[in-house]
Amino acid sequence: MPGRWRGPAVALGFLLPALVFLGVWIVYPAIRTIIRSFYDRDGTKFIWIDNYKSIFSTPTITTAIKNNAIWVLVVPAMVTAIGLVFAVLTERVSWRLAFRTVVFMPMAVSLFAAGVIWRIMDQQDPTRGALNAGLQVVHDEFSPPGNLQGASPSETTLTGSAKTGFVLKTPLKPGGVALLGLTGIAPEAVPKGAQQAAAPTPSSNQIGGVVWRDFKPGGGTPGKVESGELGLPGVSVSLKDANGNGAGSATSGPNGAFNFDGVKPGDYHVEIGAANFRAPFAGVSWLGTKLITPSLIIAYIWVWAGFAMVVIAAGLAAIPRDTLEAARTDGATEMQVFRRVTVPLLAPVLTVVFITMLINVLKVFDIVLAVAPGSSQASANVIALAMWRTAFGGVNDFGVGSAIAVFLFVLVLPILLLNVRRFKREA
Amino acid sequence: MGKHRLLLAGALTCALAGVVAVSSAGGAHKQRGVSGKISIIAKWTGDEQTAFEAVLGPFKTANPGVDISYQGAGDNTPQIVATAIAGGNPPDIATMPQPGTMADFAKKGSLKSIAFAKADIAKHYTSFWVQLGTVNGKLYGLFFKGSQKSTVWYNVKQFKNAGVKPPSTWPQFLKVAKTIRASGEKAYSIGGADGWTLTDLFENIYLRSAGAAKYNLLSKHKIKWTDASVKTALKLMAQVVGDTGNIPGGKSGALQTDFNTSVSNVFSNSPKAAMVIEGDFVPGVVASSNPLKAITGYNVFDFPSINGSKPTSVGGGDIVTLLKDTPAGRALIKYLATPQAATIWAKRGGYSSPNKDVKPSAYKDPLQRKAAAGLVKAAVFDMSDLQPASFGATAGQGEWKLFQDFVNNPKNVNGITAQLEAAAAKAYKK
């Protein structure tokens, strides 16, 4: 080999393996994707930019672009801010290693697995989802569910709603009996100690009544106390006179019977109070179409906050102590030290975190697929998911799919260039 | 693709073919049956793969010269097959999840006609299944595994507590649901997070309220989605999905429950709902975790009749297709069309065969037997499977999304039909 070729040949020899790998797995697919994006669904007809036009005319894809914009605006800033706060606050506490390990832990879980965890935590049913279970405890403290939750009148003689309570439509005179039949109560929900329902026989200065589960297998006859139907004990009922003023209250016994004593002549209404029917906490619909994107963002921040914290903490450790001391000696408060000294000195690190998150967020995919149930995936759509759905997830349109991929690439490109230039400058 | 690579691939293929030719020439005289290599890419994985391999057993014994390689590809089978075709290396045999997908492949020329087996298939299958496997007058597909989608599964204990019996008509069905609600339980478990459960419900209602003829027209988009018959069916559907007090978790519960959870909601010792409306594959979903026994714990009834409609059912199934026309491939297709092959899987459970000559006694589970009997007589095929996938089978768009929107607002019949029509028109134009 002639001498002047030896240098380049050796260089090429060393570079060749990397070049081959990059060529086969990066350059060729990229070029192929760009070409493919100008062809139709079957890949046979050249259709110029029609695929790109259809990106902006397909509602599911435009939703994806809007959602991605929200992600870009919120997530990098939040992750950087939270990471900074954690790093600074834990810098001088003795248990910082433990704290940082815990915050960093989600990074050790794959993003998809993290998504599955959040999918379960976000369940609406408080018996399934941890978030709603927590909220339920608070909710029930202030507004405990009634003992007749979910119940409704068996007949139209009772009017009202679960929110207002139910009133017997026909007025009663002393000596009358109120039949308050309710359905929609599961056998397990009937209080223990309940006995066969029985209507009382009130005397002439009493108004009596019975509140009972007006259901037996097959339905039974609504409005009639039949054998096999249990009374509902512990239900608070009240008596209202013709003017709607309270005229007495009572609580039903084991057979569902109750009596109002010392009732003066006149017309009265019997009422089951709304408190009995207060519904249990139904749960926040974290995974519904309205809250899905915020829920996803929370999950994503949960995963990435640890990364930001660790990187920023490393940057923090590298800040010269004497600069901070000098500021303190000059009489700066801790807040001023943080804002005027620490943050500017950390700026390069913060930029790295911010840009890394920006690129990550533009490509966000797996957490959306894992957390969002099918019914809200259209509302949660992001560009990378739209690309995958279009190309592989049933539509099988590689033309439009490639066009979305190129579109995403074009979005990421300026940030990448920025990053490369920064690296060069620092080097 | 570069010319050189093609040449290289060609050379390799020739070399391989030579090797195969030599080896088969050596053994062909001694062996009975066919010989050669068969590669299969199919949907069946896990237990289903084991079952299918058991099905292949007798074929291998009868044809010892055949070397079968099997790849279970799950729901991504069409993508993997398409990639294999594009790479110039198609499998000999592949399964297709829907007739619509099969037609796409056939029209591109990727499939070989299986007309050679038409006599065998016509002997064991009703003309309904033969027609479904036919594209432009040529037979391409054999329905090896079917599913019967006109069944309602229920929790026996909850039916007993409410004192109700399985209904056979729509008004009875609604009354049963009302009685269950009065007993303090919820009647319907809806797995609406998966859009296909909703399209299946709609298809069952539409088949019974509009009839098979209209059903087939709608599945080809020969009548519009704004047709009065669609609106009637949606109004009937609203009586179920709009009865939110009767669904665990109400409206958002219906939309956020996936299919598997909707099944375990019913198949449980402390059930959250009494009925789940889906096909014969329902018990299979909870096979490993089902605390209930068939008949005493859970049971099934046929989807109720609407306005006196005759017993009928919506069928679905996996289609076996041929991509390379070889003697071995032909022999395997013919073998899979026999009742013997189907019986092997039927005996193992989790399977219904559209093959009418599989004896009912082959199904060990009486409920499976019942479902299979319905399948043989299926009148229509799953509509969303006949439509272009972008309309009938993609999460977050087309039918799946619009039926979810309908559950969210069951009063909006006119709005939804207009949107369905617009989406269908777009999908069929492509």
Side-chain angles (χ1 to χ4, degrees):
Chain A
M1 193 180 280
R4 66 190 174 103
W5 285 108
R6 190 170 293 153
V10 170
L12 191 68
F14 278 108
L15 281 177
L16 203 60
L19 282 179
V20 168
F21 278 104
L22 286 175
V24 171
W25 276 291
I26 305 279
V27 180
Y28 170 71
I31 294 172
R32 189 78 185 82
T33 305
I34 293 171
I35 297 172
R36 187 68 182 79
S37 72
F38 294 108
Y39 282 84
D40 71 344
R41 188 191 171 98
D42 295 330
T44 47
K45 211 171 95 206
F46 185 76
I47 53 168
W48 197 219
I49 57 164
D50 279 8
N51 286 331
Y52 290 90
K53 280 187 195 156
S54 82
I55 292 181
F56 297 100
S57 61
T58 311
T60 48
I61 306 178
T62 48
T63 312
I65 296 174
K66 273 183 224 149
N67 281 336
N68 247 108
I70 296 175
W71 279 84
V72 164
L73 287 178
V74 175
V75 176
M78 289 278 278
V79 168
T80 315
I82 291 174
L84 178 62
V85 168
F86 279 173
V88 171
L89 288 187
T90 57
E91 207 208 353
R92 275 179 291 176
V93 290
S94 54
W95 39 272
R96 67 169 175 273
L97 190 65
F99 180 84
R100 285 179 183 173
T101 308
V102 170
V103 176
F104 192 69
M105 205 91 87
M107 282 297 291
V109 181
S110 87
L111 210 51
F112 197 88
V116 173
I117 294 170
W118 278 88
R119 167 98 182 241
I120 298 167
M121 300 235 298
D122 283 344
Q123 290 288 315
Q124 187 178 1
D125 183 347
T127 60
R128 286 207 172 111
L131 288 188
N132 280 324
L135 290 175
Q136 186 185 32
V137 172
V138 179
H139 178 274
D140 288 358
E141 192 58 40
F142 292 104
S143 154
N147 50 354
L148 296 177
Q149 44 174 282
S152 53
S154 59
E155 279 206 300
T156 51
T157 49
L158 273 173
T159 56
S161 71
K163 286 215 177 77
T164 59
F166 292 97
V167 185
L168 195 60
K169 211 163 33 178
T170 41
L172 293 173
K173 292 194 190 316
V177 174
L179 294 177
L180 310 175
L182 296 172
T183 63
I185 301 164
E188 310 87 76
V190 175
K192 285 208 174 66
Q195 295 167 7
Q196 166 66 39
T201 41
S203 61
S204 60
N205 65 348
Q206 283 183 321
I207 286 182
V210 58
V211 49
W212 85 106
R213 180 177 185 256
D214 190 8
F215 183 87
K216 61 180 196 175
T221 316
K224 209 175 146 219
V225 179
E226 294 166 283
S227 95
E229 295 182 346
L230 294 175
L232 295 168
V235 179
S236 57
V237 282
S238 54
L239 193 67
K240 296 275 162 76
D241 67 15
N243 300 323
N245 296 323
S249 62
T251 304
S252 59
N255 60 359
F258 56 87
N259 270 316
F260 300 105
D261 299 323
V263 182
K264 298 194 179 81
D267 284 345
Y268 293 93
H269 285 281
V270 179
E271 187 183 288
I272 314 179
N276 292 298
F277 298 98
R278 203 180 284 135
F281 181 58
V284 177
S285 182
W286 296 109
L287 301 176
T289 50
K290 291 202 181 74
L291 284 181
I292 184 68
T293 298
S295 301
L296 290 169
I297 286 179
I298 291 171
Y300 197 79
I301 291 175
W302 176 79
V303 174
W304 283 100
F307 158 79
M309 180 196 67
V310 168
V311 174
I312 294 170
L316 209 54
I319 292 182
R321 294 287 122 184
D322 44 0
T323 323
L324 299 180
E325 286 309 314
R328 288 194 185 108
T329 317
D330 289 349
T333 63
E334 280 305 311
M335 199 61 201
Q336 281 172 324
V337 172
F338 175 70
R339 281 177 51 202
R340 302 284 169 89
V341 183
T342 313
V343 172
L345 283 175
L346 275 178
V349 178
L350 296 181
T351 317
V352 168
V353 171
F354 189 86
I355 289 182
T356 310
M357 287 317 296
L358 205 56
I359 297 174
N360 277 342
V361 155
L362 277 170
K363 303 185 300 182
V364 63
F365 169 77
D366 31 15
I367 202 152
V368 182
L369 189 67
V371 177
S375 53
S376 34
Q377 236 166 50
S379 313
N381 213 355
V382 287
I383 298 174
L385 183 63
M387 170 190 80
W388 181 77
R389 279 218 175 293
T390 311
F392 304 102
V395 184
N396 298 342
D397 189 333
F398 286 103
V400 178
S402 302
I404 301 174
V406 173
F407 175 67
L408 183 56
F409 180 63
V410 169
L411 288 183
V412 177
L413 205 58
I415 309 167
L416 274 180
L417 289 180
L418 194 78
N419 224 8
V420 170
R421 266 181 47 193
R422 268 177 26 80
F423 280 139
K424 264 191 185 162
R425 216 171 40 222
E426 277 168 25
Chain B
M1 189 174 292
K3 213 177 203 172
H4 294 289
R5 189 177 303 179
L6 274 179
L7 275 176
L8 186 67
L12 267 174
T13 317
C14 286
L16 270 175
V19 171
V20 172
V22 169
S23 69
S24 57
H29 298 291
K30 291 174 212 153
Q31 293 157 358
R32 291 175 302 117
V34 291
S35 57
K37 282 189 175 171
I38 305 178
S39 58
I40 303 174
I41 300 181
K43 186 195 158 194
W44 309 304
T45 55
D47 285 351
E48 294 195 320
Q49 178 172 343
T50 320
F52 183 67
E53 279 166 357
V55 168
L56 294 176
F59 180 76
K60 284 183 186 163
T61 321
N63 304 283
V66 171
D67 181 13
I68 299 180
S69 62
Y70 178 87
Q71 184 191 350
D75 289 341
N76 292 324
T77 306
Q79 285 83 39
I80 290 172
V81 172
T83 314
I85 293 170
N89 184 25
D92 293 279
I93 284 174
T95 62
M96 298 283 156
Q98 296 119 10
T101 317
M102 179 185 75
D104 281 352
F105 277 92
K107 281 172 193 159
K108 278 186 197 162
S110 307
L111 303 184
K112 300 279 181 281
S113 171
I114 55 167
F116 57 85
K118 191 163 183 182
D120 304 68
I121 295 171
K123 193 173 139 200
H124 299 303
Y125 287 77
T126 59
S127 61
F128 168 76
W129 294 103
V130 179
Q131 272 311 310
L132 274 174
T134 305
V135 181
N136 292 337
K138 276 190 188 166
L139 183 64
Y140 286 102
L142 162 71
F143 283 82
F144 184 65
K145 182 175 187 290
S147 55
Q148 210 262 75
K149 297 200 163 188
S150 296
T151 45
V152 182
W153 298 84
Y154 66 94
N155 185 299
V156 173
K157 189 181 90 186
Q158 292 208 319
F159 263 49
K160 210 185 247 169
N161 282 348
V164 291
K165 295 214 154 50
S168 56
T169 67
W170 188 255
Q172 283 174 11
F173 177 65
L174 297 177
K175 184 155 184 289
V176 161
K178 207 178 153 201
T179 310
I180 291 170
R181 175 77 196 90
S183 82
E185 308 289 353
K186 312 275 182 196
Y188 311 110
S189 182
I190 309 272
D194 293 317
W196 56 269
T197 64
L198 301 173
T199 62
D200 283 358
L201 174 60
F202 169 79
E203 286 157 15
N204 271 304
I205 294 175
Y206 191 77
L207 170 63
R208 282 161 183 77
S209 62
K214 275 211 162 164
Y215 181 103
N216 287 325
L217 287 177
L218 185 65
S219 55
K220 295 191 188 95
H221 202 219
K222 295 256 171 73
I223 51 175
K224 292 194 165 174
W225 280 86
T226 44
D227 193 80
S229 62
V230 177
K231 290 180 182 171
T232 309
L234 280 178
K235 279 173 196 155
L236 292 168
M237 186 169 163
Q239 295 177 329
V240 173
V241 297
D243 189 4
T244 49
N246 225 339
I247 300 170
K251 190 190 286 174
S252 54
L255 284 171
Q256 286 171 31
T257 305
D258 57 35
F259 168 63
N260 287 11
T261 313
S262 79
V263 174
S264 52
N265 275 349
V266 175
F267 287 64
S268 155
N269 282 322
S270 50
K272 287 181 186 286
M275 298 189 275
V276 57
I277 309 168
E278 251 308 339
D280 56 1
F281 42 84
V282 159
V285 179
V286 286
S288 54
S289 61
N290 187 357
L292 307 178
K293 287 212 165 67
I295 299 185
T296 53
Y298 68 91
N299 208 330
V300 64
F301 60 88
D302 291 331
F303 197 90
S305 148
I306 296 174
N307 292 332
S309 65
K310 295 253 167 357
T312 181
S313 69
V314 177
D318 300 327
I319 316 160
V320 174
T321 58
L322 187 67
L323 286 86
K324 281 196 248 169
D325 198 355
T326 62
R330 284 187 173 217
L332 183 56
I333 293 279
K334 281 193 172 186
Y335 168 71
L336 291 176
T338 61
Q340 289 80 3
T343 302
I344 293 171
W345 198 336
K347 282 199 169 134
R348 300 176 71 99
Y351 173 83
S352 300
S353 176
N355 189 319
K356 67 175 158 41
D357 293 324
V358 174
K359 293 203 171 60
S361 58
Y363 299 97
K364 56 175 181 182
D365 178 345
L367 303 182
Q368 189 91 50
R369 194 178 301 148
K370 200 173 162 188
L375 180 65
V376 171
K377 286 179 276 187
V380 295
F381 199 79
D382 191 328
M383 191 190 295
S384 50
D385 286 350
L386 297 168
Q387 294 160 333
S390 61
F391 177 63
T394 306
Q397 67 181 65
E399 248 190 300
W400 288 6
K401 167 160 198 309
L402 292 169
F403 275 109
Q404 286 164 339
D405 290 351
F406 180 66
V407 170
N408 203 28
N409 182 10
K411 291 205 177 82
N412 186 21
V413 171
N414 288 332
I416 287 295
T417 50
Q419 284 175 280
L420 281 165
E421 176 54 30
K426 198 177 164 201
Y428 278 87
K429 205 174 63 191
K430 274 190 180 170

